[in-house]
Amino acid sequence: MAERRDKVFIDVEVDASVATDVALAAKLEEVCPVDIFKDADGRVEIVEENLDECVLCELCINAAPAGTVRVIKLYSGETLPA
């Protein structure tokens, strides 16, 4: 069986300053159309196996305080928003 390789194309980072924000954890889980975020008892958790499903919609970036959620295109090094 082949080994699963997560985050080949996309990585997502959540700043530690908001990672335990209960409201943000719920909001990120709600807005992401491909289930990258999970509300883990009020803590933002990233679902690693869904990272490469990211459609670059920026809904997570827009839902969070400025600069606290970053979407990184691993193939180009670009971080959204550009």
Side-chain angles (χ1 to χ4, degrees), residues 8-11 56 71-80:
V8 173
F9 302 107
I10 301 293
D11 195 9
L56 306 174
V71 176
I72 303 148
K73 296 178 182 179
L74 296 174
Y75 51 91
S76 70
E78 180 185 0
T79 300
L80 296 180

Side-chain angles (χ1 to χ4, degrees), residues 9-56:
F9 302 107
I10 301 293
D11 195 9
V12 174
E13 297 176 349
V14 177
D15 194 272
S17 67
V18 297
T20 57
D21 182 315
V22 174
L24 182 60
K27 185 68 174 177
L28 290 174
E29 182 176 59
E30 176 188 329
V31 301
C32 183
V34 293
D35 301 324
I36 289 173
F37 301 95
K38 180 180 178 186
D39 178 352
D41 295 322
R43 180 168 176 75
V44 178
E45 183 177 298
I46 295 173
V47 181
E48 297 278 330
E49 60 267 16
N50 293 348
L51 283 170
D52 281 339
E53 302 304 318
C54 180
V55 294
L56 306 174

